[in-house]
Amino acid sequence: MSQPNHIPLAERLRPQTLEDVVGQPHLLGPRGSIARLTSGGRLPSMVFWGPPGTGKTTLARILAKGTGHSFYEFTGVTGSAAELKKFLLEHREQPLFRAQPPVVFLDEIHRFNKSQQDILLPYLERGEAILIGATTENPAFYLNPALRSRCQVIALKPLTPEAIGQVLSRAWRQEQ
């Protein structure tokens, strides 16, 4: 059954499980690096780096849900480091956070300058938050070395014509 038309097509088609994600065979599946990193339900901090439309946000949402972590989304385009810091300070005392740290998803993390990125360090070091960043820019040039050293950098590849065909076939089946 199709979803309401006011929801953008890309959101309606967004994969809900790792099995639904296409175009990243080097990351997914039993021998993929994501499966190895998240074995045993553990979710490390990571930064997804790749071209637009390759699944960075989708993977972050699926991984947080699949490992039982709450998910909070911020963006480096319109958000501020002050908002992020306020959120972390206000929520660190909640019982849920002490039992299971939240995933803080920072889209376009490269838009935060290196001193703004420093805000995250104490929360990652104390295990009070798990960072999943997403960027289209090379993390070696745009991320603070201290932050980068606390995260796994995961490179996503551009979608192949075959993967795009799979997405289009799914869209046709779902939306016709």
Side-chain angles (χ1 to χ4, degrees):
M1 175 170 218
S2 65
Q3 297 176 7
N5 286 335
H6 69 277
I7 298 172
L9 180 63
E11 192 62 33
R12 292 193 313 261
L13 295 176
R14 188 180 297 275
Q16 300 301 308
T17 66
L18 287 177
E19 294 75 27
D20 294 337
V21 176
V22 298
Q24 303 301 329
H26 65 293
L27 300 177
L28 305 171
R31 300 187 74 160
S33 55
I34 287 182
R36 289 192 314 270
L37 284 172
T38 60
S39 64
R42 184 181 159 279
L43 186 61
S45 290
M46 55 184 79
V47 174
F48 292 131
W49 167 38
T54 53
K56 298 180 292 292
T57 301
T58 297
L59 286 171
R61 289 178 181 175
I62 290 171
L63 289 172
K65 182 179 178 182
T67 55
H69 294 270
S70 54
F71 184 82
Y72 298 92
E73 191 167 341
F74 295 87
T75 177
V77 175
T78 58
S80 72
E83 290 171 335
L84 179 58
K85 185 175 183 177
K86 181 181 176 195
F87 167 81
L88 290 167
L89 284 170
E90 287 176 353
H91 291 86
R92 72 188 259 192
E93 297 304 320
Q94 293 183 1
L96 178 62
F97 273 46
R98 288 193 298 267
Q100 182 85 307
V103 168
V104 174
F105 177 68
L106 187 49
D107 197 14
E108 306 294 342
I109 191 172
H110 63 276
R111 299 281 186 113
F112 274 28
N113 67 40
K114 291 181 181 181
S115 65
Q116 291 171 316
Q117 294 170 21
D118 279 343
I119 291 167
L120 294 160
L121 293 175
Y123 299 94
L124 300 182
E125 289 169 352
R126 292 188 301 256
E128 294 172 353
I130 296 167
L131 170 68
I132 299 182
T135 182
T136 56
E137 303 296 333
N138 187 335
F141 301 120
Y142 288 89
L143 292 187
N144 177 322
L147 183 62
R148 205 173 56 240
S149 74
R150 288 161 176 80
C151 298
Q152 299 289 325
V153 176
I154 309 289
L156 283 81
K157 296 179 180 178
L159 295 183
T160 63
E162 295 80 17
I164 293 169
Q166 288 178 291
V167 171
L168 292 173
S169 293
R170 181 184 305 154
W172 178 254
R173 284 190 310 274
Q174 182 175 316
E175 298 290 320
Q176 62 177 319

